[in-house]
Amino acid sequence: MRSELCDKLGIEHPIFAFTHCRDVVVAVSKAGGIGVLGAVGFTPEQLKEELDWIDAHIGDKPYGVDIVIPQKYEGMGDMSPEELEKQLTAMVPQEHIDFAQKLLADHGVPEWEDGTKTMGLLGWTEATATPLLEEALTRDKCVMIANALGTPPADKVKMIQDSGRLVGALCGKVKQVKSHVEAGLDFIVAQGGEGGGHTGDVGSIVFWPQAVAAAEGTPVLAAGGIGTGQQMLAAMALGCAGVWTGSLWLTVEEAHAEPAQKESLLKASSEDTVRSRSWTGKPCRMLKNDWTEAWEAPENPKPLGMPLQGLVSSDGIRRTAKYAGVADTQKVAFNPVGQVVGQINSVESTRGVMMRLLSEYADAYEKVTAQLEG
Amino acid sequence: MRSELCDKLGIEHPIFAFTHCRDVVVAVSKAGGIGVLGAVGFTPEQLKEELDWIDAHIGDKPYGVDIVIPQKYEGMGDMSPEELEKQLTAMVPQEHIDFAQKLLADHGVPEWEDGTKTMGLLGWTEATATPLLEEALTRDKCVMIANALGTPPADKVKMIQDSGRLVGALCGKVKQVKSHVEAGLDFIVAQGGEGGGHTGDVGSIVFWPQAVAAAEGTPVLAAGGIGTGQQMLAAMALGCAGVWTGSLWLTVEEAHAEPAQKESLLKASSEDTVRSRSWTGKPCRMLKNDWTEAWEAPENPKPLGMPLQGLVSSDGIRRTAKYAGVADTQKVAFNPVGQVVGQINSVESTRGVMMRLLSEYADAYEKVTAQLEG
């Protein structure tokens, strides 16, 4: 399944694995795909530690880093991260903070031992994203950068490409594909509404071919609904140059998630996810639970926009991750995942998933061939 | 692209075309697929007329009929259609009728010349559906019946199968697939959330393979997002036995729609559709417009359930269809269509669409093959 994009990246199969776990990055790249570490949520120091580990374990295989590099907010470009965070924090109504904290308390999510709350921007602003990008660009084996939200600013695109790396970005609408193409990106990740995390509402089967057409030759990776080799063949049939997978890696053996979180994911059906603005302020697909329902109820506060809602929820994101198995924490935990979660019902090894994708792909191709020959 | 299902139906390609236009039924069947006439909205007399015409023009080709055969409503089974309609009409708040009529008036949709309103059940109840089914079963060339909503009652399944015809039904959830299998249906139409008309919210790329797995060998037709041969290959890669298409046929040369309605469809993007309960009471995908937005606004009446909302909207469905090009009628018209509408931008002949699907399918297969051979 070689392609020009594979050759440029030095990989064997066009399978991109988005994950927050360094072990998964290494295992996917070693199996012939490419692991892409999601850096949002890490401090620059934490990212340095993760990349050191990856560099030490990945051998001569390449990997990627996924960052959120937003376009600048008007008038905020010159502030320090601390000033920016302070100014944004002042814009968050106390009612929202209280409501979020009450939801956590009502479900028995423990407080931090030192009694502090952590409110932070989770890397959602340029000020917090730039140091992450700079760290990634010091690594020889990091051959690509993906931007999770929007077209990266021109100076960042130039910085990445001048360093000899490829730069791509996610999107869920045709107009975003065009914006990515105009910015000269090297690849585009087209995510249908099925996908986990921030996502649009046009389904993959419809969006992928429209993205391919709008990309005018720029390679398109299919995201949103890839859990099997059959789905991978469907993506390739629609003209995509490869697949971008995320949900698949949340429950593998190598994934760091807490047992309670893996359990929530393994037992979920495809109907158990929802597009909700309740964590980040933008529509984001995740497991439906008491938290997502509470922010929908007419009598409760409405989610703020991005990045403000992130300030409301960040303490919850961290506490529910740390105390995943305690009391009713899973009922208010942030579990971003795509509808494909309904097809993921057992723990596999990362290498096993890679082998399965390839063999299912081959089987599906054989079946289609047999049908054509009638 | 032969299959067992094709052989049973006596067709060449597993392309099922759902349409309300008899001319499209005939043209699709003559091109080697199978036209399926949507009978909802016809009186038994009108359906007789349509089927007479089809029988006279289709030669020796087969066709199908699509009906809504709901499970019985508790305690309503023995009423006449007139009694049932009267009783249901009494349950509709006047506020809803007035709101619907005002929306039509505000957009300049003309009144009926005789000043009457038409409120009717549009074939959404068993009492109105049964005569339509009985009419269809008098036709030798009608080789299959599809049920648009839910598993048909056991007596209807038996009636259809005993007559030597195949019976299938649409669905959007795995539990509905299982219900269809238990009822012994001959085929299942699995529609992803992208699809037009009544639809679930799990995307096609995720739902189709789950439906195939749950169907345990019963053939599954892929619906929701089929507009090209590439999308058809994607469906076959996911294990489907064929494709069920609807949106594709709304704008073909042979379609009866008014020019203004075709124009609305041709210019729409995939982001211009919405799942709305505003016409039938159940989530149904259609073009977004002033009507769908009005029923979402917090200060306005909320849509009733099915079949009551149909009584509220049926006058609007008929008037906006009849006066499609007058004043702002399109802004309050009922235009059910899937997200694939964004890929349909010009008027084609029905035969042209059939030929295009097949040649695109072959091209996509060639490309996937070339990629595999690297």
Side-chain angles (χ1 to χ4, degrees):
Chain A
M1 233 182 312
R2 292 274 296 282
S3 68
E4 206 183 316
L5 183 63
C6 286
D7 290 345
K8 279 186 185 168
L9 294 167
I11 62 176
E12 206 176 339
H13 310 296
I15 301 176
F16 293 67
F18 171 80
T19 172
H20 290 286
C21 299
R22 60 194 189 184
D23 309 74
V24 177
V25 169
V26 166
V28 168
S29 290
K30 284 194 164 176
I34 181 163
V36 182
L37 186 73
V40 169
F42 290 130
T43 63
E45 297 69 34
Q46 287 169 332
L47 181 61
K48 180 178 183 311
E49 196 179 315
E50 301 300 299
L51 298 185
D52 284 346
W53 190 93
I54 291 172
D55 283 338
H57 290 81
I58 205 166
D60 60 352
K61 299 294 185 184
Y63 63 91
V65 172
D66 179 281
I67 302 183
V68 177
I69 319 169
Q71 296 284 349
K72 288 182 185 176
Y73 297 93
E74 197 65 41
M76 289 181 173
D78 299 327
M79 282 187 207
S80 71
E82 293 73 21
E83 281 176 311
L84 177 61
E85 194 157 318
K86 196 173 156 194
Q87 194 157 108
L88 291 172
T89 304
M91 294 165 70
V92 176
Q94 189 61 38
E95 183 196 6
H96 284 69
I97 307 279
D98 294 345
F99 181 67
Q101 289 293 328
K102 184 170 186 308
L103 276 173
L104 299 173
D106 287 352
H107 289 80
V109 184
E111 308 255 345
W112 296 111
E113 286 174 14
D114 63 3
T116 59
K117 313 276 177 231
T118 55
M119 285 178 58
L121 286 168
L122 297 171
W124 293 123
T125 66
E126 194 186 14
T128 46
T130 301
L132 298 175
L133 176 58
E134 286 167 352
E135 180 60 43
L137 296 187
T138 64
R139 310 292 169 146
D140 287 347
K141 288 181 267 191
C142 171
V143 297
M144 54 146 285
I145 300 290
N147 189 32
L149 211 63
T151 305
D155 60 328
K156 298 296 186 299
V157 172
K158 184 167 164 29
M159 186 195 299
I160 298 164
Q161 290 178 334
D162 285 353
S163 77
R165 294 173 178 84
L166 302 191
V167 56
L170 276 79
C171 61
K173 294 185 174 185
V174 168
K175 75 173 181 188
Q176 295 164 339
V177 175
K178 290 179 180 165
S179 156
H180 289 353
V181 170
E182 275 166 30
L185 301 196
D186 301 297
F187 64 91
I188 290 163
V189 183
Q191 177 166 301
E194 293 91 332
H198 291 112
T199 197
D201 69 354
V202 179
S204 290
I205 194 87
V206 173
F207 180 54
W208 292 339
Q210 292 187 46
V212 169
E216 297 175 0
T218 301
V220 170
L221 305 177
I226 304 290
T228 67
Q230 288 86 355
Q231 285 159 331
M232 192 167 154
L233 179 58
M236 304 308 252
L238 292 163
C240 296
V243 293
W244 178 274
T245 54
S247 304
L248 254 185
W249 313 105
L250 296 171
T251 48
V252 290
E253 278 168 23
E254 292 84 351
H256 294 166
E258 294 292 322
Q261 193 178 10
K262 282 194 185 177
E263 192 55 36
S264 297
L265 293 164
L266 291 172
K267 74 179 184 202
S269 80
S270 293
E271 290 153 39
D272 292 331
T273 74
V274 63
R275 276 173 85 230
S276 167
R277 300 202 304 112
S278 61
W279 286 102
T280 71
K282 279 189 190 283
C284 181
R285 189 175 291 284
M286 60 190 70
L287 291 187
K288 210 183 303 184
N289 62 14
D290 288 357
W291 175 284
T292 62
E293 304 273 295
W295 288 94
E296 294 285 337
E299 66 276 18
N300 292 339
K302 299 285 149 288
L304 306 170
M306 177 179 280
L308 299 184
Q309 185 68 14
L311 288 166
V312 173
S313 67
S314 60
D315 186 50
I317 289 183
R318 293 187 174 120
R319 274 164 63 194
T320 58
K322 180 163 172 63
Y323 300 109
V326 178
D328 287 334
T329 293
Q330 281 303 305
K331 294 188 183 167
V332 287
F334 178 46
N335 282 321
V337 71
Q339 290 183 335
V340 78
V341 71
Q343 293 174 251
I344 303 170
N345 304 312
S346 65
V347 173
E348 296 173 274
S349 69
T350 298
R351 187 177 174 77
V353 173
M354 287 291 295
M355 303 295 290
R356 176 169 66 73
L357 289 174
L358 296 171
S359 77
E360 287 169 343
Y361 187 96
D363 287 351
Y365 176 80
E366 289 305 321
K367 276 193 196 157
V368 166
T369 301
Q371 206 160 24
L372 261 180
E373 289 166 356
Chain B
M1 234 182 314
R2 291 274 295 282
S3 68
E4 206 183 315
L5 184 63
C6 286
D7 290 345
K8 279 187 185 167
L9 293 167
I11 61 176
E12 204 175 341
H13 311 295
I15 301 175
F16 293 67
F18 170 80
T19 172
H20 290 286
C21 299
R22 60 192 189 186
D23 309 74
V24 177
V25 170
V26 166
V28 167
S29 290
K30 284 195 163 177
I34 181 162
V36 183
L37 187 73
V40 169
F42 290 130
T43 62
E45 297 68 35
Q46 286 168 332
L47 181 61
K48 179 177 186 308
E49 197 179 315
E50 301 300 299
L51 298 184
D52 284 346
W53 190 92
I54 291 172
D55 282 338
H57 289 81
I58 205 165
D60 60 353
K61 298 294 184 185
Y63 63 91
V65 171
D66 178 280
I67 302 182
V68 177
I69 319 170
Q71 296 284 348
K72 287 182 184 176
Y73 296 92
E74 198 63 42
M76 287 179 172
D78 299 328
M79 283 188 205
S80 70
E82 294 73 22
E83 282 173 312
L84 176 62
E85 193 158 320
K86 196 171 156 195
Q87 193 157 112
L88 290 171
T89 304
M91 295 165 69
V92 176
Q94 189 61 36
E95 184 196 5
H96 284 70
I97 306 279
D98 293 346
F99 181 67
Q101 289 293 327
K102 182 169 187 309
L103 276 174
L104 299 173
D106 287 352
H107 289 80
V109 183
E111 307 255 346
W112 296 110
E113 285 174 14
D114 63 3
T116 59
K117 312 279 175 227
T118 55
M119 284 178 59
L121 285 168
L122 297 169
W124 293 123
T125 66
E126 194 185 14
T128 46
T130 301
L132 298 175
L133 176 59
E134 286 168 352
E135 179 60 44
L137 296 187
T138 65
R139 309 293 168 143
D140 286 347
K141 287 181 268 191
C142 171
V143 296
M144 54 147 286
I145 301 290
N147 190 31
L149 210 63
T151 304
D155 60 328
K156 297 296 186 300
V157 172
K158 184 168 165 27
M159 186 195 297
I160 298 164
Q161 289 178 334
D162 284 353
S163 78
R165 295 173 178 83
L166 303 191
V167 56
L170 277 78
C171 61
K173 295 184 174 185
V174 168
K175 74 172 182 190
Q176 295 164 340
V177 175
K178 289 179 179 165
S179 157
H180 288 354
V181 170
E182 276 166 30
L185 302 195
D186 302 296
F187 64 92
I188 289 163
V189 183
Q191 177 165 301
E194 294 90 334
H198 291 112
T199 196
D201 68 354
V202 179
S204 290
I205 200 88
V206 173
F207 179 54
W208 292 340
Q210 291 187 48
V212 169
E216 296 174 0
T218 302
V220 170
L221 305 177
I226 304 289
T228 66
Q230 287 88 354
Q231 285 159 331
M232 191 167 155
L233 179 57
M236 305 307 252
L238 292 164
C240 297
V243 294
W244 178 274
T245 54
S247 304
L248 255 184
W249 314 105
L250 296 171
T251 47
V252 290
E253 278 168 23
E254 291 84 350
H256 294 165
E258 293 292 320
Q261 192 178 11
K262 283 194 185 179
E263 192 56 33
S264 296
L265 293 164
L266 291 171
K267 75 179 185 205
S269 80
S270 293
E271 291 152 38
D272 291 331
T273 74
V274 65
R275 276 173 86 230
S276 167
R277 300 203 302 112
S278 62
W279 286 103
T280 71
K282 278 190 189 286
C284 180
R285 189 175 292 284
M286 59 190 70
L287 291 187
K288 209 183 304 183
N289 62 16
D290 288 356
W291 175 283
T292 61
E293 304 274 295
W295 289 93
E296 294 286 336
E299 67 275 19
N300 292 338
K302 298 286 149 289
L304 305 171
M306 177 178 280
L308 298 184
Q309 186 68 14
L311 288 166
V312 173
S313 67
S314 61
D315 186 52
I317 288 183
R318 294 188 173 120
R319 273 164 64 194
T320 58
K322 179 163 171 67
Y323 299 110
V326 178
D328 287 333
T329 293
Q330 280 304 304
K331 293 185 182 168
V332 287
F334 178 46
N335 282 321
V337 70
Q339 290 184 335
V340 77
V341 71
Q343 293 175 249
I344 304 169
N345 304 310
S346 65
V347 173
E348 296 172 275
S349 70
T350 298
R351 187 176 176 76
V353 172
M354 287 292 295
M355 303 295 288
R356 176 169 67 72
L357 289 174
L358 296 170
S359 76
E360 287 168 342
Y361 187 96
D363 286 352
Y365 176 79
E366 290 303 322
K367 276 191 196 159
V368 166
T369 302
Q371 207 159 23
L372 262 180
E373 290 166 356

